């Protein structure tokens, strides 16, 4: 079977593109880590040890590997949720709120009599996705029908969801009179079974893998996905060609919301908690922005980025525990990586090498990167 | 209910509203300037937060006005970073804005840990200063209304007066000076000022700088008057509420003032409600500003939509 010339060229172009993007992401990560190293060097009493912990601690023990992989599964889901809305060129920032309402829905199921039956896991996940989907739908419909800015409304909904969770946990979900802000442990039937005994790796990882494939399929192998990408590319053109861009927009935000809800269930029903604690999400949802940007909103690239970033994140947390460098330094690294990858920054010395090799620096590539 | 009305119409409540509105107003004005130049500044939250921390740390070593200036400089610096990445390196302004927010959320805690020697939550161990309140009790000598005037006008932060003046100054700048016209033109239709030889990117960069400075000034008010000291994530969404206030204020300085007062009113309500009705759960009271912002945004968008529809109808 021989391939046509176009197919070969197309494949070559795609690989060249992947190589270029990977190179840029790696360069950005190296620059950001360099900055982090300088900061640690200036502020820590034992900088080399701190940096060593940051880079090597996550794979030092099976337990820490478990923490890392558990984070990767969660980061993958939030990265996918952001990728979906970014591909439709919406800037809905509501994953955090969706995680909380999803976690609440899952907790209500798990703590009800249903939670003690085999239905505890499937129904908990399902209800979490419905709740998250509804929470993602709200800013979508407000934008589609009224033109209300989705950034502001989704961010406000995040704060509302956090307070709602605090309120419901304190008044309803906690055993009365106990004064703690954590529910009872869920029954074992409502907690995701561990895949590797003694670690936090649970069936949330399988959910993450399925979600990656499902989002990829939906985006690149269905009519809905084609329309969604067209709307993201040029909403006006899509509208002229008969696509109802508002419907696509709202549905993209709803599906992303369902992913956020799933993440909520993965938090509270996973091995890491197995109960609902207030503020359980700990800022992880927003890190999906970095994942989506570095992955260029490509679903198949999301888990790869999550793997690297999750490693760094876990390293920072271990560094926080074992050395005098607070884990928040990772915020600086994250910001630098986003800034560099989202901009048209090219690898340092790239032009120079290109000139050396006699190639022209393609303006088309620069345009592509700038998008 | 009677108590609520008594409280809301009292002079002390008015003073509280002014206090809660001031950081919002300053930040909203910052958002307005950036928005009119065509750059939606979603980093107001992070800029405010950095403003808070800068003001607190500098005020330990320097007089309060130096701390305020330092906060403005820090905010403007973040604005410059945004301008560089957005205008020079062509990154999406919203992504750049969120990068700044992420940087601010982590960076402030990191810097706080260094400054306090290990405390990650608050700056309670740092002897930071407050912005003085302007004492106008000399107005009391005016016969008849003097006492009321003192009650309503005295005791506000100096920055509240600055903010009120800035509403006027920014209005004057935008609608009465050529540069203001350029700025609005750049935001409205950049190709036209470009063709007229107006440096579009320079104007956008300056407005981002000013935007950052104003947001950080709001942060300084928050950390040196509303509260004295820094706590982790102390802006608590105020920068995002300000973003909503820009849209709600119909992208006009006076509208920004009214929107900031509206949100400030509800924030003040959230301050006084626990004392009046202790049966209302604290979580629900804390939700009020956010719910009001969403509702106001939705209602305003609905009205704007209706207005647009009516305009198109009348054209036909």
């Amino acid at each position: 079977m021989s391939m046509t010339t176009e197919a070969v060229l197309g494949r070559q172009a795609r690989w060249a593109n992947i190589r270029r993007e990977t190179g840029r992401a790696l360069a950005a990560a190296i620059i950001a880590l360099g900055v982090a190293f300088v900061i640690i060097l200036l502020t820590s009493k034992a900088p080399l040890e701190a940096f060593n912990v940051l880079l090597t601690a996550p794979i030092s023990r099976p337990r820490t590997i478990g923490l890392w992989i558990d984070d990767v599964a969660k980061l993958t889901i939030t990265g996918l949720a952001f990728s979906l809305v970014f591909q439709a060129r919406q800037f809905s920032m509501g994953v955090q709120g969706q995680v909380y309402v999803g976690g609440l829905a899952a907790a209500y199921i798990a703590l009800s009599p249903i939670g003690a039956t085999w239905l505890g896991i499937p129904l908990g996940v399902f209800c979490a996705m419905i709740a998250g989907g509804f929470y993602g739908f709200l800013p979508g419909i407000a934008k589609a029908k009224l033109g209300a800015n989705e950034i502001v409304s989704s961010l406000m909904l995040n704060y509302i969801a956090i307070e709602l969770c605090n309120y419901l946990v304190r008044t309803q979900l906690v055993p009365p009179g106990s004064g703690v802000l954590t529910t009872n442990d869920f029954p074992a039937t409502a907690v995701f079974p561990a895949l590797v005994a003694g670690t936090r790796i649970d069936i949330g990882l399988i959910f993450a893998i399925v979600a990656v494939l499902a989002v990829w399929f939906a985006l690149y192998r269905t009519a809905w996905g084609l329309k969604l990408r067209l709307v993201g590319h040029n909403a006006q053109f899509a509208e002229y060609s008969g696509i109802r861009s508002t419907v696509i927009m709202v549905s993209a935000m709803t599906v992303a919301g369902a992913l956020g809800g799933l993440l909520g269930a993965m938090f509270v029903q996973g091995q890491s908690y197995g109960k609902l604690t207030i503020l359980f999400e700990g800022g992880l949802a927003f890190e999906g922005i970095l994942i989506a940007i570095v992955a260029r909103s490509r679903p198949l690239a999301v888990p790869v980025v999550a793997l690297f970033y999750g490693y760094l994140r876990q390293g920072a947390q271990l560094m926080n525990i074992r050395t005098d460098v607070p884990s928040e330094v990772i915020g600086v690294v994250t910001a630098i990586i986003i800034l560099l990858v989202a901009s048209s920054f090219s690898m340092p010395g790239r032009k120079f090498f290109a000139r050396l090799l006699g190639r022209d620096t393609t303006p088309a590539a620069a345009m592509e990167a700038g998008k | 209910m009677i108590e609520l009305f008594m409280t809301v119409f009292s002079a002390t409540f008015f003073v509280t509203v002014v206090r809660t509105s001031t950081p919002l107003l300053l930040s909203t004005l910052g958002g307005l300037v950036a928005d009119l130049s065509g750059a939606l500044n979603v980093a107001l939250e992070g800029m405010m937060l950095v403003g808070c921390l800068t003001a607190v740390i500098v005020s330990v070593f320097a007089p309060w006005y130096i701390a305020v200036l330092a906060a403005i400089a820090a905010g403007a610096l973040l604005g410059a970073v945004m301008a560089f990445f957005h205008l020079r390196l062509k990154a999406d302004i919203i992504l750049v804005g969120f990068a700044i927010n992420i940087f601010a959320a982590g960076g402030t805690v990191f810097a706080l840990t260094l400054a306090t020697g290990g405390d990650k939550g608050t700056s309670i161990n740092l002897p930071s200063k407050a912005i003085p309140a302007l004492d106008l009790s000399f107005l009391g000598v005016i016969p008849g209304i003097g006492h009321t005037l003192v009650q309503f006008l005295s005791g506000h932060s100096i920055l509240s007066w600055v903010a009120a003046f800035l509403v006027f100054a920014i209005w004057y700048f935008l609608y009465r000076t050529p540069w203001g016209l350029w700025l609005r033109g750049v935001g409205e239709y950049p190709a036209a000022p470009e063709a007229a030889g107006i440096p579009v990117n320079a104007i956008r960069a300056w407005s981002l700088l000013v935007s950052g400075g104003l947001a950080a000034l709001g942060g300084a008010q928050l950390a040196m008057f509303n509260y004295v000291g820094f706590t982790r994530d102390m802006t608590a969404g105020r920068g995002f509420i300000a973003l909503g206030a820009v849209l709600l204020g119909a992208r006009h300085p006076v509208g920004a003032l009214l929107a900031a007062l509206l949100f400030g009113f509800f924030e003040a309500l959230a301050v006084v409600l626990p004392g009046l009705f202790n049966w209302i759960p604290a979580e629900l009271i804390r939700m009020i500003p956010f719910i009001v912002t969403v509702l106001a945004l939705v209602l305003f968008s609905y009205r704007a939509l209706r207005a647009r529809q009516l305009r198109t109808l009348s054209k036909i």
Side-chain angles (χ1 to χ4, degrees):
Chain A
M1 205 173 78
S2 67
M3 265 193 263
T4 60
T5 326
E6 282 107 41
V8 173
L9 283 178
R11 177 159 292 188
Q12 275 176 354
R14 191 193 298 166
W15 276 109
N17 201 10
I18 289 176
R19 267 201 303 278
R20 193 175 58 236
E21 293 297 341
T22 315
R24 272 166 47 85
L26 284 179
I30 289 167
I31 293 174
L33 279 175
V35 173
F37 182 65
V38 171
I39 295 174
I40 292 172
L41 205 61
L42 293 175
T43 59
S44 172
K45 287 192 189 72
L48 289 177
E49 193 208 330
F51 211 66
N52 187 32
V53 170
L54 174 68
L55 291 184
T56 62
I59 47 163
S60 59
R61 281 185 228 142
R63 197 185 62 83
T64 53
I65 293 178
L67 292 173
W68 168 38
I69 297 300
D70 181 48
D71 264 7
V72 170
K74 286 170 180 158
L75 288 167
T76 301
I77 299 283
T78 167
L80 284 176
F82 276 107
S83 297
L84 254 180
V85 287
F86 285 175
Q87 284 240 3
R89 256 201 103 63
Q90 300 300 308
F91 287 101
S92 170
M93 298 288 167
V95 178
Q96 193 181 36
Q98 292 144 14
V99 168
Y100 280 100
V101 292
L104 275 172
Y108 269 103
I109 295 293
L111 292 171
S112 73
I114 303 170
T117 67
W118 61 272
L119 273 171
I121 292 173
L123 201 64
V125 169
F126 179 73
C127 289
M129 289 180 77
I130 297 288
F134 172 71
Y135 222 63
F137 169 78
L138 290 178
I141 196 76
K143 175 161 192 193
K145 291 283 174 210
L146 306 169
N149 183 301
E150 82 278 14
I151 303 175
V152 177
S153 58
S154 61
L155 286 167
M156 293 299 117
L157 286 175
N158 286 348
Y159 289 99
I160 294 171
I162 292 172
E163 292 296 348
L164 185 73
C165 179
N166 291 348
Y167 170 65
L168 291 176
V169 167
R170 183 172 65 84
T171 56
Q172 295 197 356
L173 293 168
V174 163
S178 64
V180 292
L181 293 173
T182 302
T183 65
N184 285 340
D185 288 347
F186 294 168
T189 48
V191 177
F192 291 177
L195 292 182
V196 183
T199 69
R200 282 190 179 178
I201 305 176
D202 57 26
I203 56 168
L205 184 63
I206 294 177
F207 283 131
I209 293 169
V210 171
V212 169
L213 296 176
V215 171
W216 171 80
F217 187 83
L219 273 178
Y220 292 96
R221 291 293 180 272
T222 66
W224 178 76
L226 179 66
K227 287 178 189 167
L228 188 151
R229 287 181 291 131
L230 274 178
V231 168
H233 217 67
N234 188 339
Q236 233 165 18
F237 172 76
E239 193 79 37
Y240 287 142
S241 54
I243 296 168
R244 292 180 61 197
S245 60
T246 51
V247 174
I248 296 294
M249 206 167 78
V250 176
S251 59
M253 281 156 92
T254 310
V255 173
L259 284 172
L262 168 65
L263 181 58
M266 282 166 60
F267 263 107
V268 298
Q269 292 191 293
Q271 287 284 323
S272 49
Y273 284 93
K275 60 191 170 192
L276 178 58
T277 309
I278 63 159
L279 304 177
F280 60 84
E281 166 263 1
L284 181 136
F286 270 113
E287 287 162 35
I289 299 179
L290 172 122
I291 310 277
I293 292 170
V294 178
R296 293 267 161 203
S297 302
R298 301 299 181 105
L300 294 182
V302 163
V304 181
V305 179
L307 213 57
F308 279 98
Y309 182 71
Y311 188 87
L312 208 58
R313 188 177 196 274
Q314 204 51 56
Q317 269 162 19
L318 293 168
M319 179 176 70
N320 185 44
I321 298 166
R322 296 186 196 164
T323 71
D324 61 345
V325 181
S327 62
E328 278 78 6
V329 73
I330 207 72
V332 180
V333 176
T334 308
I336 294 175
I337 294 179
I338 295 182
L339 285 176
L340 291 181
V341 175
S343 66
S344 66
F345 126 94
S346 53
M347 267 193 286
R350 201 179 135 75
K351 267 192 188 149
F352 174 74
F353 278 116
R355 208 177 300 142
L356 209 66
L357 294 172
R359 278 191 236 148
D360 68 328
T361 49
T362 52
M367 295 255 298
E368 184 121 90
K371 267 192 304 213
Chain B
M1 221 49 206
I2 305 275
E3 295 127 326
L4 182 63
F5 277 107
M6 293 287 285
T7 313
V8 166
F9 290 105
S10 70
T12 32
F13 188 73
F14 177 77
V15 175
T16 313
V17 170
V18 171
R19 192 182 70 205
T20 50
S21 300
T22 304
L24 280 176
L25 174 58
L26 288 166
S27 186
T28 306
L29 289 174
L32 176 76
V33 172
D35 197 34
L36 284 177
S37 80
L40 186 65
N41 186 358
V42 291
L44 290 174
E45 174 84 1
M47 291 165 161
M48 275 182 96
L49 200 57
V50 168
C52 289
L53 184 74
T54 312
V56 165
I57 291 184
V58 173
S59 80
V60 173
F61 307 104
W64 67 269
Y65 48 87
I66 302 287
V68 170
L69 290 177
I72 295 176
L77 184 68
L78 288 182
V81 170
M82 275 186 92
F84 176 74
F85 277 96
H86 173 51
L87 300 171
R88 181 66 61 86
L89 295 181
K90 305 289 174 218
D92 190 293
I93 186 82
I94 292 171
L95 301 181
V96 175
F98 269 92
I100 299 279
N101 285 338
I102 291 170
F103 167 80
T108 50
V109 176
F110 181 74
L112 182 70
T113 324
L114 293 181
T116 56
D119 194 337
K120 281 180 125 178
T122 70
S123 69
I124 202 152
N125 295 324
L126 294 178
S128 66
K129 295 189 190 68
I131 294 167
L134 207 56
D135 184 22
L136 297 177
S137 47
F138 63 86
L139 289 174
V141 297
I142 304 172
I145 55 165
H147 181 63
T148 326
L149 273 183
V150 171
Q151 271 192 333
F152 276 88
L153 294 182
S154 191
H156 299 305
S157 155
I158 289 178
L159 285 191
S160 297
W161 293 100
V162 170
F165 170 73
L166 279 173
V167 172
F168 170 75
I170 287 175
W171 170 82
Y172 187 86
F173 170 79
L174 286 174
Y175 296 96
R176 290 293 180 272
T177 66
W179 303 294
L181 184 67
W182 291 5
L183 191 149
R184 288 181 294 131
V186 166
E188 201 72 42
Y189 187 67
E194 181 97 69
I198 293 167
V200 169
N201 275 357
I203 288 179
R204 285 213 169 124
W206 277 109
S207 44
L208 278 170
L209 241 76
V210 171
S211 179
L214 284 169
L217 187 61
Q221 157 82 5
L222 194 65
M224 290 179 70
F225 192 86
N226 292 25
Y227 307 93
V228 179
F230 182 86
T231 44
R232 166 183 204 138
D233 292 329
M234 71 182 297
T235 46
R238 284 183 181 83
F240 298 134
I241 292 182
L243 201 60
V246 174
L247 304 173
L248 188 69
R251 305 168 87 212
H252 191 277
V254 178
L257 172 67
L258 295 177
L261 281 175
L262 175 79
F263 294 138
F265 171 82
F266 281 101
E267 205 189 315
L269 207 60
V271 173
V272 297
L273 274 181
L276 291 174
F277 307 102
N278 52 15
W279 52 268
I280 304 182
E283 294 92 351
L284 298 190
I285 289 177
R286 282 201 298 268
M287 260 186 222
I288 292 174
F290 305 115
I291 293 178
V292 170
T293 309
V294 173
L295 290 181
L297 184 71
V298 166
L299 283 178
F300 176 77
S301 308
Y302 176 69
R303 281 203 47 206
L305 185 77
R306 288 284 301 164
R308 269 203 303 280
Q309 281 171 346
L310 286 176
R311 255 204 311 275
T312 22
L313 278 181
S314 64
K315 263 183 208 154
I316 304 165

